[in-house]
Amino acid sequence: MKTLSFIIMTVALILSFQHLNGQCIEGNCINGKGTYYIHGEMMIVGYFKNGKPHGKAIVVLDNLIKIYGTYVNGMLDGNAIYVLPNQTKWYISFHNGVLHGESFILDWSDYRVATITYHYGEVEEEIIEDEDYFWYEVLPYFL
C-alpha cells in the first residue's frame, strides 16, 4: 500500500500547480473562470487566481481520471474525489497539497474497497476490504 500512497502523493504534487505550461482555451485562466489545457497531460476546468487554480476545479488527466476538488493557490486543499474510468471513487483529503485525514475507495456500486488514514502525507492506517478489486481495478490506473 505504500506504493499507492507514493503514487497519490506524486499525483498531488503534479496537481500542485505552481507553474502551468499550457494554454487557456476558454474563459479567464488568470483571474476568473476558465478551461486550461496542457497537451497530452490534463485539462483544468474551474476558477483561477494569479494564473493558478484557486477555488473549485475539475482536473481531467490524460488517462481519464477526473479529480474534483478545491484548490488554494494552486494546491489541493480540503476534500477531493478521484473518479476512475471504471467509476471507482476515491474520497481523499488534503491539507496544503498534502494527504491528510481519512480517505476511502468505493467501487462502481459504492461498496467500500479500502480505507486509508493519512497524517500529513504518512499512512497511519490502511484497511483493504477487497484486495482483488483494489489490486486489479484501482491500482493499474496509478501505475
Side-chain angles (χ1 to χ4, degrees):
M1 194 58 156
K2 300 283 186 196
T3 301
L4 183 60
S5 297
F6 174 75
I7 293 168
I8 293 296
M9 282 299 294
T10 302
V11 170
L13 289 174
I14 291 169
L15 297 178
S16 295
F17 302 104
Q18 299 307 310
H19 304 284
L20 295 175
N21 188 18
Q23 66 182 22
C24 188
I25 59 173
E26 184 178 318
N28 182 346
C29 301
I30 302 297
N31 289 303
K33 184 177 180 181
T35 301
Y36 195 88
Y37 180 70
I38 301 171
H39 182 71
E41 294 180 30
M42 70 184 78
M43 182 171 60
I44 307 160
V45 179
Y47 293 91
F48 294 82
K49 181 177 178 183
N50 298 323
K52 299 176 191 173
H54 190 83
K56 296 207 178 289
I58 300 169
V59 175
V60 181
L61 300 178
D62 189 41
N63 62 0
L64 301 179
I65 293 175
K66 295 178 184 171
I67 303 166
Y68 300 83
T70 301
Y71 289 82
V72 175
N73 213 15
M75 298 175 63
L76 278 166
D77 195 63
N79 297 322
I81 304 170
Y82 286 52
V83 180
L84 306 183
N86 64 6
Q87 297 309 303
T88 297
K89 294 174 277 308
W90 189 332
Y91 294 83
I92 195 161
S93 295
F94 291 88
H95 180 72
N96 293 326
V98 177
L99 294 166
H100 186 70
E102 184 178 271
S103 73
F104 53 94
I105 301 169
L106 303 178
D107 72 7
W108 58 272
S109 68
D110 288 338
Y111 172 77
R112 188 175 291 229
V113 174
T115 304
I116 308 161
T117 304
Y118 297 94
H119 183 75
Y120 293 103
E122 297 292 322
V123 175
E124 282 191 331
E125 181 181 23
E126 56 192 28
I127 301 167
I128 308 297
E129 297 174 32
D130 186 339
E131 288 201 22
D132 285 341
Y133 190 89
F134 179 81
W135 288 106
Y136 298 108
E137 300 294 330
V138 176
L139 194 59
Y141 288 103
F142 294 96
L143 297 177

